[in-house]
Amino acid sequence: LQRRITYDASQEAINALFFAQYFLAIESPHGKPSGEGWYDGGSLARFSVSAVVDNGNGTRRTFAGWEGDFVSKTANETLLIDAPKKIVATWRTQFFVSIKANGGEVEGGGWHDKGTSIILKAKPSVKASNASRDVFAGWSGNMDDKASEVSIAISKPILAEANWKTQHYLKVVSDRGNPRGEGWHDEGTRVQFSVDSQTGLLREQVFGGWEGDSSIQTPTALIIMDSPKTVVARWRIDYSFIAILSAATVAI
């Protein structure tokens, strides 16, 4: 440092005064840290770095803390400079889990730390009625799983899509004949339902056809489940067996 001065002969001496400065070095693989440089000894240095660095591809870095000659979890800090200092910013890598709900309710989406495991959950957004319901059909996208609740390890950005299917209830009504086929069935499927064609002994009960959402006359029939369905079996009494038995008795 050079400076021009006028010397007064009455002064016995001129003394040069110095003060110490120390360098604050800041290292960070991400973000743009501020505050690096020379500081007077005993002064306070203010330094900082962006808390989040988004790479724009489902990957980001989040500030984890300062290490080295200063330890802190806060991105904006103040440090007393009493010696040369070196601090290093550490980071976490996070990946984004994007979930397409398709009308349902899902959990587990958002930013998650690399190396962690999360639970994806899916459930219908509307409660099932007595006759129709939506049920989970499986995950698609970057994953393939039929379970509505699944654990996944976070190692990259993930796109998951929750898929659903509608089911309708088929009610098969009959007070006899061992009715079969009642239950929940996928929308659009062809479902078989049936009863035994005959019941009873002396007073023979004979199947007489279906009523309700089917008019088929055979004991076994098919129906397309495009909505909730109810089918009712009709029965009639067949006296022909009694007549044959009576005729046989008279003949004896």
Side-chain angles (χ1 to χ4, degrees):
L1 177 65
Q2 294 183 350
R3 178 174 296 178
R4 185 175 181 179
I5 62 174
T6 301
Y7 176 68
D8 184 350
S10 64
Q11 294 177 327
E12 295 182 356
I14 298 175
N15 296 321
L17 301 177
F18 296 88
F19 54 88
Q21 285 191 328
Y22 302 108
F23 191 77
L24 171 62
I26 303 176
E27 293 184 1
S28 178
H30 308 288
K32 296 180 179 180
S34 63
E36 182 176 87
W38 291 97
Y39 291 88
D40 293 343
S43 65
L44 294 176
R46 292 180 174 83
F47 58 95
S48 64
V49 71
S50 301
V52 178
V53 178
D54 195 334
N55 297 96
N57 59 352
T59 304
R60 73 180 186 181
R61 271 75 181 185
T62 59
F63 177 77
W66 298 104
E67 295 180 350
D69 293 321
F70 185 79
V71 177
S72 173
K73 299 296 184 182
T74 305
N76 298 285
E77 274 290 2
T78 302
L79 171 63
L80 175 65
I81 303 298
D82 54 3
K85 304 286 185 179
K86 180 180 179 180
I87 55 177
V88 179
T90 61
W91 300 81
R92 291 187 300 269
T93 298
Q94 293 186 327
F95 297 116
F96 192 74
V97 177
S98 177
I99 306 178
K100 188 175 181 180
N102 287 330
E105 294 181 358
V106 294
E107 298 177 10
W111 291 100
H112 299 280
D113 289 348
K114 178 182 178 180
T116 60
S117 293
I118 66 169
I119 301 295
L120 294 189
K121 296 181 181 180
K123 64 179 181 179
S125 59
V126 179
K127 293 183 179 179
S129 68
N130 292 331
S132 295
R133 67 183 184 183
D134 289 332
V135 296
F136 184 73
W139 297 99
S140 61
N142 295 141
M143 56 186 299
D144 182 12
D145 203 296
K146 299 300 181 184
S148 61
E149 184 172 324
V150 60
S151 175
I152 59 173
I154 303 300
S155 61
K156 62 181 180 180
I158 294 174
L159 173 62
E161 183 170 356
N163 301 301
W164 310 88
K165 61 182 178 181
T166 299
Q167 292 184 332
H168 302 298
Y169 196 82
L170 171 62
K171 187 173 183 62
V172 183
V173 180
S174 180
D175 58 359
R176 57 179 60 84
N178 188 27
R180 295 173 290 275
E182 180 166 326
W184 291 100
H185 302 281
D186 292 349
E187 185 177 57
T189 56
R190 293 168 63 88
V191 177
Q192 178 177 290
F193 58 97
S194 64
V195 290
D196 297 334
S197 60
Q198 295 178 338
T199 62
L201 293 174
L202 293 180
R203 295 184 63 188
E204 190 82 3
Q205 299 288 324
V206 179
F207 176 74
W210 295 98
E211 295 178 340
D213 290 313
S214 177
S215 58
I216 302 298
Q217 298 301 304
T218 57
T220 299
L222 294 172
I223 193 168
I224 298 177
M225 296 301 296
D226 53 5
S227 64
K229 304 289 184 181
T230 299
V231 292
V232 181
R234 291 185 289 106
W235 297 88
R236 59 182 176 81
I237 299 176
D238 185 1
Y239 293 97
S240 60
F241 178 75
I242 298 176
I244 293 173
L245 180 62
S246 298
T249 303
V250 172
I252 293 172

